[in-house]
Amino acid sequence: MTTSLDVARQPWLVRTRSAAERAWDRIDRAVLRFQGRVDTPGYDRWLPYGFALLHAAILALLVLARFHSLDLGADTARYAQATWQISEGLRPDTSLAGGNVVSQQGSLILYPLSVVTSILPRIETLLVLKALALAWAIVPLWRIARRHGRLGIGASSAVVFAFSTSSAVHYMNAADFAPAILAVPALMWAVLAGLDDRENVVVVASVIALACRADLGLAIAGLGILLLLQSRRRAGVVALLLGLGWFLVAMYGLQPWLGDGSYSFLEPYSDFGRTPLRALWGIVSHPVRFATIVGSLANFQVLVSLLAPVLFLPLTAPRFLLPAVPLYVLYMGADVPEGRLSEAAQNVPITVFIFVATIFALQRSGRTLVSQVRVDRRLVIALLLTAVVFFVRDSPTSPYREPWQWGDRDATDQARVSAVDLLPNTDEPVRASGALLPLLSERLGIYELDTSAATLGVITELGVDEEIDAEPAVGDLDAVIEAAVADVDWLLYDTTTEALGESEVDTFRARLRERGWKRIERVEGIDVWQFTGVVESGSLLLIPE
């Protein structure tokens, strides 16, 4: 039953709805006119370079700010030390890696990187190259969208925007340096060249990707199978043989030869086997156990955070997602430290193919008009809004993380720099907390201080304390101290990052003194210790060697 009040409201509602529809029509026509102006060969050729240049500038500024704030850690120091040793004519047998860095992941790209970083500032150059690599992936992504997805300027720009704001991309940029991240544009160019059936470019792009990390050969082989399904036979065969062939050569030949003869890269799968065949058999013979690891809550949350910002569209084009699935499943089953920053490099192949699959999912959802596919504008707007929402929610550079404050050095950062300056300019071995290691990367004997086995809590990668309901055993603390002082003459202990409780810190210091260590400096939570051989216990006692 319609009341008099409803009748009185109707004209106002009708006028409001009519005005909104007219405004939307004007916006729609304006957008179409703008797309018509920019949808030309000239804009199509240069627009992706503009997007890439802008993205590169943003990423480079962000990662350099993190480095200046001393927010990077052991992995950056490990690869910086490796490139320094190579540039000095030494093997990349680094103390931080505990062996040959190249043998662990087959990252031969460290050799050309050592040439570049011998001329330019080492760590800054590695970080800027990482940012440039992530941004450069926009160019082949755009070409795939325009040339093979046949998407319009608007839909292609939406895909590029989603890639630029992807939390996976920003975690790769904010994380410690890893050669695998440099493979992002190479993989994207390999996809584009394969779809163009240009086998020579496929070879070049694949070789670059494989030089970044050897196990990416599985993703290259998967791309080869995809190209065969897409009737790109020559490019498909080349990618399949090159990817699978190098994966096997690196696994059975290169990596054991460069290392100590063992399969150190299989350490994350040691519960299943110590050799490639035994590890494979262990996985196959214990499928429930492996599936439990792969399907853990942490892995599920990461997978959702990768797919949700693109509306789960890749699942509607699974053929273009499958090349990365086998390798990504192996990554999820690896026993490695959890955390979006520490696992950023493992998301390289799946991230690339998620956005490739998104392009073809949009193509399937649209309507073909002459030579282009017109995607429903509502879907494009939903993709843009979803990308923004998940960037704000998940990205390490979200406004909630206040990235504009990065780059400033507080009193603790200044104390870290001062602590490093106290060390003699010799090769006396040093063990230091993770935040200090990048400042020490051009030394031979540097080791990471790890007190995690004796902590009451942990400090997360975002700096939040999470309490653990367990008291550390005295034996655990003794073992940590024993490991900390082994084979080193200097100890740099950062109490702001090492998650020991106050009583544990006091015990740690007392035990160091009992072992003949003397604290040289203590500023803003940074302890500098030197081994003197003299025990401070009422009277001085020289400890014999």
Side-chain angles (χ1 to χ4, degrees):
M1 180 177 179
T2 304
T3 64
S4 59
L5 183 60
D6 293 332
V7 173
R9 284 179 174 175
Q10 276 185 349
W12 179 84
L13 292 173
V14 170
R15 287 195 301 271
T16 302
R17 179 179 178 182
S18 178
E21 289 177 346
R22 289 195 301 271
W24 177 257
D25 288 340
R26 284 195 294 269
I27 294 173
D28 193 40
R29 288 194 295 269
V31 171
L32 288 174
R33 286 195 299 269
F34 176 76
Q35 289 186 359
R37 292 192 184 99
V38 299
D39 200 353
T40 62
Y43 277 103
D44 187 42
R45 185 179 303 113
W46 298 110
L47 198 57
Y49 293 101
F51 287 147
L53 184 62
L54 176 62
H55 196 216
I58 294 172
L59 294 182
L61 288 174
L62 288 170
V63 73
L64 288 177
R66 275 184 61 82
F67 171 61
H68 191 263
S69 301
L70 303 183
D71 289 331
L72 300 179
D75 285 341
T76 296
R78 180 180 300 116
Y79 291 111
Q81 186 186 34
T83 56
W84 171 70
Q85 290 186 198
I86 293 172
S87 66
E88 294 293 321
L90 304 173
R91 285 168 55 90
D93 294 319
T94 68
S95 56
L96 282 173
N100 193 307
V101 172
V102 178
S103 71
Q104 295 175 355
Q105 295 182 354
S107 302
L108 295 175
I109 200 169
L110 291 176
Y111 286 92
L113 286 179
S114 68
V115 177
V116 178
T117 55
S118 65
I119 304 171
L120 302 173
R122 192 169 309 279
I123 293 181
E124 292 89 335
T125 301
L126 292 175
L127 298 177
V128 169
L129 287 175
K130 179 178 66 169
L132 292 175
L134 290 170
W136 182 244
I138 287 176
V139 177
L141 181 66
W142 177 274
R143 300 286 183 237
I144 295 170
R146 296 285 286 161
R147 191 178 300 167
H148 300 283
R150 295 186 297 158
L151 302 181
I153 289 285
S156 300
S157 299
V159 173
V160 167
F161 179 80
F163 177 84
S164 301
T165 58
S166 169
S167 61
V169 171
H170 283 268
Y171 269 111
M172 291 179 202
N173 186 61
D176 280 295
F177 177 82
I181 298 175
L182 302 180
V184 172
L187 286 173
M188 202 74 81
W189 278 107
V191 175
L192 173 61
L195 294 174
D196 289 340
D197 209 11
R198 299 168 60 190
E199 61 271 16
N200 292 336
V201 181
V202 171
V203 171
V204 173
S206 299
V207 167
I208 294 174
L210 295 172
C212 295
R213 183 163 174 159
D215 58 12
L216 290 177
L218 288 179
I220 298 293
L223 172 61
I225 296 174
L226 170 63
L227 295 176
L228 290 174
L229 295 175
Q230 294 294 112
S231 300
R232 271 69 166 188
R233 291 184 177 83
R234 291 184 301 176
V237 170
V238 167
L240 178 60
L241 295 179
L242 182 60
L244 189 58
W246 180 251
F247 175 75
L248 294 174
V249 168
M251 181 170 58
Y252 282 103
L254 178 68
Q255 290 171 273
W257 175 67
L258 290 175
D260 57 3
S262 64
Y263 300 97
S264 59
F265 56 91
L266 287 177
E267 187 62 30
Y269 307 96
S270 58
D271 290 344
F272 295 96
R274 294 286 182 175
T275 66
L277 288 179
R278 287 181 179 177
L280 178 61
W281 175 248
I283 292 173
V284 172
S285 59
H286 299 85
V288 175
R289 180 182 176 190
F290 185 71
T292 302
I293 298 173
V294 171
S296 67
L297 178 59
N299 286 335
F300 175 75
Q301 290 174 334
V302 172
L303 186 59
V304 170
S305 69
L306 291 172
L307 291 170
V310 289
L311 301 173
F312 294 94
L313 288 172
L315 299 181
T316 66
R319 173 183 293 189
F320 297 92
L321 188 61
L322 286 177
V325 170
L327 181 57
Y328 189 61
V329 169
L330 287 177
Y331 285 164
M332 289 194 294
D335 182 14
V336 295
E338 295 182 359
R340 294 296 301 275
L341 287 175
S342 58
E343 296 179 347
Q346 296 185 358
N347 293 328
V348 166
I350 194 67
T351 300
V352 169
F353 286 97
I354 277 176
F355 282 95
V356 172
T358 298
I359 290 171
F360 290 96
L362 289 173
Q363 181 193 49
R364 291 184 179 184
S365 69
R367 292 180 300 155
T368 302
L369 299 176
V370 190
S371 60
Q372 275 193 6
V373 174
R374 183 175 181 181
V375 181
D376 191 320
R377 189 165 290 109
R378 291 171 296 183
L379 179 58
V380 174
I381 293 174
L383 177 60
L384 292 172
L385 292 176
T386 305
V388 171
V389 168
F390 278 93
F391 169 79
V392 174
R393 177 183 179 271
D394 294 335
S395 175
T397 53
S398 162
Y400 291 116
R401 310 292 185 199
E402 300 180 349
W404 51 83
Q405 293 187 357
W406 295 355
D408 295 333
R409 284 188 175 176
D410 56 19
T412 301
D413 295 326
Q414 297 292 348
R416 290 168 180 163
V417 176
S418 299
V420 171
D421 291 339
L422 289 174
L423 297 177
N425 295 322
T426 62
D427 287 331
E428 293 183 31
V430 182
R431 192 178 304 276
S433 299
L436 292 154
L437 292 175
L439 300 174
L440 299 165
S441 58
E442 295 189 4
R443 300 175 68 104
L444 287 176
I446 56 173
Y447 303 88
E448 183 179 10
L449 175 62
D450 182 11
T451 61
S452 59
T455 59
L456 281 171
V458 296
I459 295 181
T460 69
E461 58 195 18
L462 297 177
V464 181
D465 279 334
E466 297 177 355
E467 295 300 325
I468 298 176
D469 297 328
E471 289 290 334
V474 175
D476 291 339
L477 185 57
D478 286 338
V480 167
I481 295 172
E482 198 66 36
V485 301
D487 303 322
V488 295
D489 297 325
W490 291 84
L491 193 65
L492 304 184
Y493 177 49
D494 187 347
T495 61
T496 65
T497 58
E498 297 293 337
L500 285 177
E502 185 176 348
S503 61
E504 285 72 39
V505 171
D506 292 338
T507 304
F508 186 85
R509 290 167 176 163
R511 299 289 173 80
L512 285 178
R513 291 188 179 96
E514 293 172 2
R515 285 168 169 79
W517 287 77
K518 179 181 179 181
R519 188 166 63 189
I520 305 299
E521 187 74 32
R522 178 189 179 188
V523 182
E524 296 293 336
I526 312 300
D527 286 3
V528 180
W529 295 82
Q530 181 185 15
F531 180 71
T532 62
V534 176
V535 177
E536 300 178 11
S537 179
S539 60
L540 297 181
L541 173 65
L542 182 64
I543 299 179
E545 295 184 358

